[in-house]
Amino acid sequence: MFDLHTHTTFSHGKGSIEDNVLVAIARGLTKIGIADHGPGHRGYGVKRADIPKMRAEVDRLNRIYGDKIEILLGMEANVMGYDGEIDVTEEEKKDLDYILVGFHYGIVPVSFKGFWNFMIVNNLAKVIPALQKTAIRRNTDAFIRIMEKHDVYALTHPSAKAKTDPTRLGAAAAKYGVLLESNEKHDSLSVEEIALAAQAGAKFLVSSDAHKPG
């Protein structure tokens, strides 16, 4: 049993990496992943200078608790644009065991195209039904381009911040070997979205998205 989506004080979690590890051990987990928000988030993203520190801390804790649990260092990267951009560099990937990717507010898209689609079209689509199909198509395209360009383990809470097409996303996730996540903090994926994505071949990751060690 494992949980690969937990946050710490390196972003906006309430506990340290070791706090999360100790609770995970107490709960009987065999693996835990630390996946704080990528540095592109202006409010609570990881500081780039802290990524090597996090790597060193995870390695230290594995030496202490490795007989009880495996500890991995991941990152919940942010979608930064609609052409496959995320906020983790190739050099930073070397310190990480895996990458999750999700849409989040609090980022500044890398281009006007990204700003227009994420900030404007998505919000207008909430009140203008005619824009909903366009928003869903473009959001789904953004995730697919990211899967094409990056080695991604899972997409976090698809459709929670920016609506996507579960059938197209599920088919692409199956093609690229990427999991779709359902977690305890968001209502996406819904039961209906999971069914449609599964029919398209997707497989899934269940995690906590914990922001407190408990």
PDB file of all heavy atoms in Angstrom, residues 98-122:
ATOM      1  N   TYR A  98       9.962  10.727  -9.688  1.00  0.00           N
ATOM      2  CA  TYR A  98       8.786  10.712 -10.569  1.00  0.00           C
ATOM      3  C   TYR A  98       8.197  12.110 -10.616  1.00  0.00           C
ATOM      4  O   TYR A  98       8.503  12.968  -9.774  1.00  0.00           O
ATOM      5  CB  TYR A  98       7.732   9.704 -10.082  1.00  0.00           C
ATOM      6  CG  TYR A  98       7.154  10.041  -8.721  1.00  0.00           C
ATOM      7  CD1 TYR A  98       5.958  10.736  -8.600  1.00  0.00           C
ATOM      8  CD2 TYR A  98       7.817   9.667  -7.553  1.00  0.00           C
ATOM      9  CE1 TYR A  98       5.441  11.062  -7.368  1.00  0.00           C
ATOM     10  CE2 TYR A  98       7.298   9.977  -6.309  1.00  0.00           C
ATOM     11  CZ  TYR A  98       6.116  10.677  -6.218  1.00  0.00           C
ATOM     12  OH  TYR A  98       5.601  11.005  -4.986  1.00  0.00           O
ATOM     13  N   ILE A  99       7.325  12.324 -11.612  1.00  0.00           N
ATOM     14  CA  ILE A  99       6.674  13.621 -11.772  1.00  0.00           C
ATOM     15  C   ILE A  99       5.169  13.412 -11.934  1.00  0.00           C
ATOM     16  O   ILE A  99       4.718  12.590 -12.737  1.00  0.00           O
ATOM     17  CB  ILE A  99       7.218  14.379 -12.995  1.00  0.00           C
ATOM     18  CG1 ILE A  99       8.693  14.728 -12.799  1.00  0.00           C
ATOM     19  CG2 ILE A  99       6.406  15.652 -13.253  1.00  0.00           C
ATOM     20  CD1 ILE A  99       9.331  15.356 -14.018  1.00  0.00           C
ATOM     21  N   LEU A 100       4.416  14.149 -11.138  1.00  0.00           N
ATOM     22  CA  LEU A 100       2.985  14.292 -11.333  1.00  0.00           C
ATOM     23  C   LEU A 100       2.762  15.650 -12.000  1.00  0.00           C
ATOM     24  O   LEU A 100       3.553  16.563 -11.828  1.00  0.00           O
ATOM     25  CB  LEU A 100       2.245  14.258  -9.989  1.00  0.00           C
ATOM     26  CG  LEU A 100       2.598  13.134  -9.014  1.00  0.00           C
ATOM     27  CD1 LEU A 100       1.814  13.317  -7.710  1.00  0.00           C
ATOM     28  CD2 LEU A 100       2.323  11.765  -9.624  1.00  0.00           C
ATOM     29  N   VAL A 101       1.666  15.796 -12.740  1.00  0.00           N
ATOM     30  CA  VAL A 101       1.378  17.074 -13.391  1.00  0.00           C
ATOM     31  C   VAL A 101      -0.100  17.393 -13.245  1.00  0.00           C
ATOM     32  O   VAL A 101      -0.952  16.526 -13.456  1.00  0.00           O
ATOM     33  CB  VAL A 101       1.744  17.055 -14.893  1.00  0.00           C
ATOM     34  CG1 VAL A 101       1.395  18.399 -15.537  1.00  0.00           C
ATOM     35  CG2 VAL A 101       3.220  16.750 -15.097  1.00  0.00           C
ATOM     36  N   GLY A 102      -0.396  18.654 -12.894  1.00  0.00           N
ATOM     37  CA  GLY A 102      -1.782  19.074 -12.790  1.00  0.00           C
ATOM     38  C   GLY A 102      -1.971  20.542 -13.113  1.00  0.00           C
ATOM     39  O   GLY A 102      -1.025  21.334 -13.067  1.00  0.00           O
ATOM     40  N   PHE A 103      -3.203  20.901 -13.455  1.00  0.00           N
ATOM     41  CA  PHE A 103      -3.587  22.303 -13.593  1.00  0.00           C
ATOM     42  C   PHE A 103      -3.779  22.898 -12.203  1.00  0.00           C
ATOM     43  O   PHE A 103      -4.422  22.297 -11.338  1.00  0.00           O
ATOM     44  CB  PHE A 103      -4.917  22.422 -14.351  1.00  0.00           C
ATOM     45  CG  PHE A 103      -4.794  22.425 -15.847  1.00  0.00           C
ATOM     46  CD1 PHE A 103      -5.089  21.280 -16.580  1.00  0.00           C
ATOM     47  CD2 PHE A 103      -4.405  23.578 -16.526  1.00  0.00           C
ATOM     48  CE1 PHE A 103      -5.010  21.281 -17.967  1.00  0.00           C
ATOM     49  CE2 PHE A 103      -4.317  23.589 -17.912  1.00  0.00           C
ATOM     50  CZ  PHE A 103      -4.617  22.438 -18.636  1.00  0.00           C
ATOM     51  N   HIS A 104      -3.232  24.091 -11.976  1.00  0.00           N
ATOM     52  CA  HIS A 104      -3.421  24.796 -10.709  1.00  0.00           C
ATOM     53  C   HIS A 104      -3.541  26.292 -10.965  1.00  0.00           C
ATOM     54  O   HIS A 104      -2.854  26.835 -11.827  1.00  0.00           O
ATOM     55  CB  HIS A 104      -2.240  24.556  -9.756  1.00  0.00           C
ATOM     56  CG  HIS A 104      -2.076  23.131  -9.333  1.00  0.00           C
ATOM     57  ND1 HIS A 104      -1.260  22.248 -10.004  1.00  0.00           N
ATOM     58  CD2 HIS A 104      -2.635  22.439  -8.312  1.00  0.00           C
ATOM     59  CE1 HIS A 104      -1.318  21.065  -9.408  1.00  0.00           C
ATOM     60  NE2 HIS A 104      -2.144  21.149  -8.388  1.00  0.00           N
ATOM     61  N   TYR A 105      -4.384  26.935 -10.183  1.00  0.00           N
ATOM     62  CA  TYR A 105      -4.392  28.394 -10.178  1.00  0.00           C
ATOM     63  C   TYR A 105      -3.162  28.855  -9.397  1.00  0.00           C
ATOM     64  O   TYR A 105      -2.580  28.106  -8.633  1.00  0.00           O
ATOM     65  CB  TYR A 105      -5.670  28.919  -9.542  1.00  0.00           C
ATOM     66  CG  TYR A 105      -6.908  28.536 -10.331  1.00  0.00           C
ATOM     67  CD1 TYR A 105      -7.851  27.648  -9.818  1.00  0.00           C
ATOM     68  CD2 TYR A 105      -7.126  29.052 -11.608  1.00  0.00           C
ATOM     69  CE1 TYR A 105      -8.963  27.280 -10.549  1.00  0.00           C
ATOM     70  CE2 TYR A 105      -8.239  28.692 -12.349  1.00  0.00           C
ATOM     71  CZ  TYR A 105      -9.152  27.803 -11.814  1.00  0.00           C
ATOM     72  OH  TYR A 105     -10.245  27.434 -12.544  1.00  0.00           O
ATOM     73  N   GLY A 106      -2.771  30.104  -9.596  1.00  0.00           N
ATOM     74  CA  GLY A 106      -1.592  30.610  -8.895  1.00  0.00           C
ATOM     75  C   GLY A 106      -0.331  30.585  -9.740  1.00  0.00           C
ATOM     76  O   GLY A 106       0.733  30.962  -9.268  1.00  0.00           O
ATOM     77  N   ILE A 107      -0.471  30.137 -10.991  1.00  0.00           N
ATOM     78  CA  ILE A 107       0.687  30.148 -11.902  1.00  0.00           C
ATOM     79  C   ILE A 107       0.525  31.282 -12.908  1.00  0.00           C
ATOM     80  O   ILE A 107      -0.571  31.786 -13.134  1.00  0.00           O
ATOM     81  CB  ILE A 107       0.854  28.792 -12.630  1.00  0.00           C
ATOM     82  CG1 ILE A 107      -0.383  28.456 -13.492  1.00  0.00           C
ATOM     83  CG2 ILE A 107       1.089  27.675 -11.624  1.00  0.00           C
ATOM     84  CD1 ILE A 107      -0.218  28.685 -14.958  1.00  0.00           C
ATOM     85  N   VAL A 108       1.630  31.690 -13.486  1.00  0.00           N
ATOM     86  CA  VAL A 108       1.600  32.652 -14.591  1.00  0.00           C
ATOM     87  C   VAL A 108       1.999  31.884 -15.842  1.00  0.00           C
ATOM     88  O   VAL A 108       3.159  31.482 -15.983  1.00  0.00           O
ATOM     89  CB  VAL A 108       2.559  33.827 -14.349  1.00  0.00           C
ATOM     90  CG1 VAL A 108       2.554  34.760 -15.560  1.00  0.00           C
ATOM     91  CG2 VAL A 108       2.173  34.587 -13.086  1.00  0.00           C
ATOM     92  N   PRO A 109       1.068  31.621 -16.745  1.00  0.00           N
ATOM     93  CA  PRO A 109       1.393  30.846 -17.952  1.00  0.00           C
ATOM     94  C   PRO A 109       2.558  31.462 -18.716  1.00  0.00           C
ATOM     95  O   PRO A 109       2.783  32.670 -18.674  1.00  0.00           O
ATOM     96  CB  PRO A 109       0.095  30.900 -18.761  1.00  0.00           C
ATOM     97  CG  PRO A 109      -0.979  31.082 -17.729  1.00  0.00           C
ATOM     98  CD  PRO A 109      -0.364  31.979 -16.702  1.00  0.00           C
ATOM     99  N   VAL A 110       3.298  30.612 -19.429  1.00  0.00           N
ATOM    100  CA  VAL A 110       4.522  31.058 -20.097  1.00  0.00           C
ATOM    101  C   VAL A 110       4.247  31.857 -21.374  1.00  0.00           C
ATOM    102  O   VAL A 110       5.164  32.454 -21.922  1.00  0.00           O
ATOM    103  CB  VAL A 110       5.434  29.860 -20.426  1.00  0.00           C
ATOM    104  CG1 VAL A 110       5.894  29.172 -19.160  1.00  0.00           C
ATOM    105  CG2 VAL A 110       4.718  28.864 -21.352  1.00  0.00           C
ATOM    106  N   SER A 111       3.014  31.849 -21.833  1.00  0.00           N
ATOM    107  CA  SER A 111       2.697  32.573 -23.072  1.00  0.00           C
ATOM    108  C   SER A 111       1.298  33.167 -22.977  1.00  0.00           C
ATOM    109  O   SER A 111       0.491  32.781 -22.119  1.00  0.00           O
ATOM    110  CB  SER A 111       2.763  31.628 -24.278  1.00  0.00           C
ATOM    111  OG  SER A 111       1.741  30.654 -24.193  1.00  0.00           O
ATOM    112  N   PHE A 112       1.000  34.082 -23.879  1.00  0.00           N
ATOM    113  CA  PHE A 112      -0.347  34.654 -23.934  1.00  0.00           C
ATOM    114  C   PHE A 112      -1.363  33.568 -24.273  1.00  0.00           C
ATOM    115  O   PHE A 112      -2.492  33.586 -23.756  1.00  0.00           O
ATOM    116  CB  PHE A 112      -0.410  35.773 -24.971  1.00  0.00           C
ATOM    117  CG  PHE A 112      -1.790  36.366 -25.105  1.00  0.00           C
ATOM    118  CD1 PHE A 112      -2.273  37.252 -24.157  1.00  0.00           C
ATOM    119  CD2 PHE A 112      -2.615  36.018 -26.172  1.00  0.00           C
ATOM    120  CE1 PHE A 112      -3.558  37.779 -24.264  1.00  0.00           C
ATOM    121  CE2 PHE A 112      -3.888  36.530 -26.288  1.00  0.00           C
ATOM    122  CZ  PHE A 112      -4.365  37.421 -25.335  1.00  0.00           C
ATOM    123  N   LYS A 113      -0.981  32.638 -25.126  1.00  0.00           N
ATOM    124  CA  LYS A 113      -1.879  31.531 -25.476  1.00  0.00           C
ATOM    125  C   LYS A 113      -2.303  30.765 -24.228  1.00  0.00           C
ATOM    126  O   LYS A 113      -3.479  30.451 -24.041  1.00  0.00           O
ATOM    127  CB  LYS A 113      -1.187  30.588 -26.467  1.00  0.00           C
ATOM    128  CG  LYS A 113      -1.981  29.345 -26.823  1.00  0.00           C
ATOM    129  CD  LYS A 113      -1.171  28.445 -27.753  1.00  0.00           C
ATOM    130  CE  LYS A 113      -1.919  27.163 -28.090  1.00  0.00           C
ATOM    131  NZ  LYS A 113      -1.111  26.273 -28.965  1.00  0.00           N
ATOM    132  N   GLY A 114      -1.326  30.456 -23.368  1.00  0.00           N
ATOM    133  CA  GLY A 114      -1.635  29.741 -22.145  1.00  0.00           C
ATOM    134  C   GLY A 114      -2.510  30.559 -21.218  1.00  0.00           C
ATOM    135  O   GLY A 114      -3.463  30.043 -20.617  1.00  0.00           O
ATOM    136  N   PHE A 115      -2.190  31.847 -21.095  1.00  0.00           N
ATOM    137  CA  PHE A 115      -3.003  32.736 -20.250  1.00  0.00           C
ATOM    138  C   PHE A 115      -4.423  32.801 -20.769  1.00  0.00           C
ATOM    139  O   PHE A 115      -5.388  32.690 -20.002  1.00  0.00           O
ATOM    140  CB  PHE A 115      -2.383  34.134 -20.217  1.00  0.00           C
ATOM    141  CG  PHE A 115      -3.184  35.127 -19.424  1.00  0.00           C
ATOM    142  CD1 PHE A 115      -3.035  35.218 -18.054  1.00  0.00           C
ATOM    143  CD2 PHE A 115      -4.106  35.956 -20.062  1.00  0.00           C
ATOM    144  CE1 PHE A 115      -3.804  36.122 -17.319  1.00  0.00           C
ATOM    145  CE2 PHE A 115      -4.869  36.861 -19.342  1.00  0.00           C
ATOM    146  CZ  PHE A 115      -4.714  36.945 -17.960  1.00  0.00           C
ATOM    147  N   TRP A 116      -4.569  32.959 -22.071  1.00  0.00           N
ATOM    148  CA  TRP A 116      -5.901  33.096 -22.663  1.00  0.00           C
ATOM    149  C   TRP A 116      -6.741  31.841 -22.430  1.00  0.00           C
ATOM    150  O   TRP A 116      -7.893  31.926 -21.992  1.00  0.00           O
ATOM    151  CB  TRP A 116      -5.775  33.390 -24.157  1.00  0.00           C
ATOM    152  CG  TRP A 116      -7.102  33.449 -24.864  1.00  0.00           C
ATOM    153  CD1 TRP A 116      -7.677  32.487 -25.640  1.00  0.00           C
ATOM    154  CD2 TRP A 116      -8.025  34.542 -24.833  1.00  0.00           C
ATOM    155  NE1 TRP A 116      -8.896  32.901 -26.098  1.00  0.00           N
ATOM    156  CE2 TRP A 116      -9.134  34.164 -25.617  1.00  0.00           C
ATOM    157  CE3 TRP A 116      -8.017  35.792 -24.217  1.00  0.00           C
ATOM    158  CZ2 TRP A 116     -10.233  35.001 -25.792  1.00  0.00           C
ATOM    159  CZ3 TRP A 116      -9.117  36.631 -24.405  1.00  0.00           C
ATOM    160  CH2 TRP A 116     -10.207  36.226 -25.183  1.00  0.00           C
ATOM    161  N   ASN A 117      -6.155  30.675 -22.702  1.00  0.00           N
ATOM    162  CA  ASN A 117      -6.928  29.438 -22.578  1.00  0.00           C
ATOM    163  C   ASN A 117      -7.257  29.096 -21.128  1.00  0.00           C
ATOM    164  O   ASN A 117      -8.402  28.754 -20.801  1.00  0.00           O
ATOM    165  CB  ASN A 117      -6.165  28.278 -23.214  1.00  0.00           C
ATOM    166  CG  ASN A 117      -6.223  28.313 -24.722  1.00  0.00           C
ATOM    167  OD1 ASN A 117      -7.272  28.573 -25.305  1.00  0.00           O
ATOM    168  ND2 ASN A 117      -5.107  28.068 -25.365  1.00  0.00           N
ATOM    169  N   PHE A 118      -6.258  29.188 -20.243  1.00  0.00           N
ATOM    170  CA  PHE A 118      -6.477  28.752 -18.869  1.00  0.00           C
ATOM    171  C   PHE A 118      -7.264  29.783 -18.067  1.00  0.00           C
ATOM    172  O   PHE A 118      -8.248  29.458 -17.401  1.00  0.00           O
ATOM    173  CB  PHE A 118      -5.128  28.467 -18.191  1.00  0.00           C
ATOM    174  CG  PHE A 118      -5.253  27.880 -16.806  1.00  0.00           C
ATOM    175  CD1 PHE A 118      -6.233  26.950 -16.494  1.00  0.00           C
ATOM    176  CD2 PHE A 118      -4.374  28.253 -15.804  1.00  0.00           C
ATOM    177  CE1 PHE A 118      -6.349  26.410 -15.224  1.00  0.00           C
ATOM    178  CE2 PHE A 118      -4.468  27.724 -14.526  1.00  0.00           C
ATOM    179  CZ  PHE A 118      -5.462  26.796 -14.238  1.00  0.00           C
ATOM    180  N   MET A 119      -6.852  31.018 -18.130  1.00  0.00           N
ATOM    181  CA  MET A 119      -7.450  32.040 -17.284  1.00  0.00           C
ATOM    182  C   MET A 119      -8.746  32.622 -17.862  1.00  0.00           C
ATOM    183  O   MET A 119      -9.682  32.923 -17.111  1.00  0.00           O
ATOM    184  CB  MET A 119      -6.446  33.186 -17.059  1.00  0.00           C
ATOM    185  CG  MET A 119      -5.123  32.743 -16.469  1.00  0.00           C
ATOM    186  SD  MET A 119      -5.338  32.041 -14.810  1.00  0.00           S
ATOM    187  CE  MET A 119      -3.610  31.848 -14.332  1.00  0.00           C
ATOM    188  N   ILE A 120      -8.805  32.784 -19.170  1.00  0.00           N
ATOM    189  CA  ILE A 120      -9.960  33.453 -19.778  1.00  0.00           C
ATOM    190  C   ILE A 120     -11.000  32.451 -20.284  1.00  0.00           C
ATOM    191  O   ILE A 120     -12.155  32.458 -19.841  1.00  0.00           O
ATOM    192  CB  ILE A 120      -9.518  34.385 -20.934  1.00  0.00           C
ATOM    193  CG1 ILE A 120      -8.441  35.367 -20.447  1.00  0.00           C
ATOM    194  CG2 ILE A 120     -10.730  35.118 -21.502  1.00  0.00           C
ATOM    195  CD1 ILE A 120      -8.872  36.273 -19.326  1.00  0.00           C
ATOM    196  N   VAL A 121     -10.588  31.578 -21.214  1.00  0.00           N
ATOM    197  CA  VAL A 121     -11.555  30.660 -21.823  1.00  0.00           C
ATOM    198  C   VAL A 121     -12.186  29.745 -20.779  1.00  0.00           C
ATOM    199  O   VAL A 121     -13.414  29.544 -20.771  1.00  0.00           O
ATOM    200  CB  VAL A 121     -10.886  29.835 -22.946  1.00  0.00           C
ATOM    201  CG1 VAL A 121     -11.865  28.800 -23.493  1.00  0.00           C
ATOM    202  CG2 VAL A 121     -10.412  30.752 -24.063  1.00  0.00           C
ATOM    203  N   ASN A 122     -11.377  29.194 -19.861  1.00  0.00           N
ATOM    204  CA  ASN A 122     -11.936  28.297 -18.840  1.00  0.00           C
ATOM    205  C   ASN A 122     -12.954  28.994 -17.950  1.00  0.00           C
ATOM    206  O   ASN A 122     -13.984  28.415 -17.586  1.00  0.00           O
ATOM    207  CB  ASN A 122     -10.817  27.702 -17.991  1.00  0.00           C
ATOM    208  CG  ASN A 122     -10.183  26.502 -18.650  1.00  0.00           C
ATOM    209  OD1 ASN A 122     -10.862  25.566 -19.041  1.00  0.00           O
ATOM    210  ND2 ASN A 122      -8.871  26.526 -18.802  1.00  0.00           N
TER     211      ASN A 122
END
